[in-house]
């Protein structure tokens, strides 16, 4: 909802002349949207007796495919995703290799066949990545971390979000066409395009990361440390815990098998959250692990994570 008391509030909303429409009661139609992104419809009734205005905006799933089209927002990601396109429509391995056109056909098939599609308002994807479905919770969109807007126009590696808008305000040339050449690298990409605020708040701004075969960890910004992850597991453990010392080698073996025998980019990231009594104990225990880790100094965040996920004993994998 937007409360408006003067024309400056509507300075960048196309089709809105505050002084004109408030001179006499009138019904009219306007566009409302984020600056630099495509607007959507809204309707108003203004009374000259009103000194303020309240605008409510709600977008529902289209009821007719002929009245709505998918608008593409280049180099843009949603605030949240709902789920991945189901395997019965297009298997995951196929999604990772599919072209934009093939993904569009699969999405349209899902919208026609699946009874759960009534809340879906679009999808987001990029090359080597699955198709992620979005609902109204996806708004507002944000600029993706990647190519600039100018380069993104011809770069399939950047995220593109497609969402329904009335047909009249979607450009005629905004279409996904079939292409013979594929730019996919063949390397799976499970990076889920959502805001990084959640994991920054949960794990802190930086994580310890081990590079290659080196056992010496370095600090890396949390969003970069968790890039290309579709499943993040928190491993609560400590060196003084007997059951932990028995379980940790099995978890390391599981992680290594995924990396060496399944795929180097398997999409699972494990973050070690220590319950050790000292930094020295933490360092001695962590040097055996290939995982990411919360720095030992983040004791308050570690305790908060344990409370959030109901961890009452260790070892615990969430």
């Amino acid at each position: 909802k937007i409360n408006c008391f003067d024309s400056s509030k509507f300075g960048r909303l196309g089709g809105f002349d505050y002084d004109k429409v408030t001179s006499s009661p009138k019904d009219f139609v306007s566009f409302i949207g984020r600056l630099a992104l495509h607007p959507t419809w809204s309707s108003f009734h203004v009374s000259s007796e009103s000194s303020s205005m309240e605008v409510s905006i709600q977008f529902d799933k289209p009821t007719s495919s002929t009245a709505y089209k998918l608008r593409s927002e280049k180099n843009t990601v949603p605030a949240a995703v709902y789920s991945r396109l189901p395997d019965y429509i297009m298997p995951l391995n196929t999604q990772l290799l599919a072209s934009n056109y093939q993904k569009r056909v699969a999405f349209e098939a899902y919208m026609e066949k699946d009874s759960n599609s009534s809340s879906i308002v679009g999808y987001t994807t990029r090359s080597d990545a699955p198709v992620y479905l979005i609902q109204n919770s996806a708004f507002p969109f944000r600029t993706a971390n990647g190519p600039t807007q100018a380069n993104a126009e011809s770069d399939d590696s950047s995220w593109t979000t497609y969402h329904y808008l009335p047909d009249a305000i979607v450009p005629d040339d905004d279409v996904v066409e079939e292409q013979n050449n594929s730019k996919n690298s063949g390397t799976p990409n499970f990076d889920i395009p959502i805001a990084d605020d959640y994991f920054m708040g949960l794990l802190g701004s930086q994580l310890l990361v081990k590079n290659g075969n080196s056992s010496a960890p370095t600090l890396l910004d949390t969003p970069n440390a968790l890039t290309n992850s579709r499943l993040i597991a928190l491993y609560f453990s400590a060196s003084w815990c007997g059951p932990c010392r028995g379980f940790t080698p099995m978890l390391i073996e599981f992680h290594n098998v995924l990396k060496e025998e399944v795929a180097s980019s398997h999409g699972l990231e494990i973050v070690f959250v220590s319950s050790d009594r000292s930094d020295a104990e933490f360092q001695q225990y962590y040097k055996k692990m290939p995982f990411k880790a919360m720095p030992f100094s983040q004791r308050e965040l570690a305790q908060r994570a344990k409370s959030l996920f109901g961890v009452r004993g260790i070892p615990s994998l969430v």
Side-chain angles (χ1 to χ4, degrees), residues 161-266:
T161 301
Y162 304 88
H163 62 107
Y164 284 112
L165 283 178
D167 179 51
I169 57 175
V170 178
D172 293 337
D173 60 353
D174 192 349
V175 295
V176 176
E177 297 179 337
E178 188 170 10
Q179 296 179 336
N180 294 326
N181 58 324
S182 175
K183 297 182 180 179
N184 291 33
S185 67
T187 301
N189 191 314
F190 299 111
D191 191 18
I192 298 179
I194 58 175
D196 304 315
D197 297 350
Y198 175 77
F199 288 107
M200 293 273 284
L202 178 66
L203 304 174
S205 60
Q206 292 184 312
L207 292 176
L208 289 169
V209 177
K210 294 185 176 180
N211 300 316
N213 296 324
S214 173
S215 60
T218 58
L219 284 170
L220 191 64
D221 290 343
T222 299
N224 294 329
L226 300 179
T227 295
N228 199 30
S229 303
R230 67 166 176 161
L231 182 63
I232 296 172
L234 303 184
Y235 179 44
F236 298 89
S237 183
S239 59
W240 51 261
C241 166
C244 296
R245 294 195 299 271
F247 180 71
T248 297
M250 293 189 289
L251 187 60
I252 293 173
E253 182 181 3
F254 168 74
H255 180 274
N256 292 339
V257 168
L258 279 181
K259 184 175 182 179
E260 296 168 6
E261 299 184 15
V262 178
S264 58
S265 299
H266 47 71

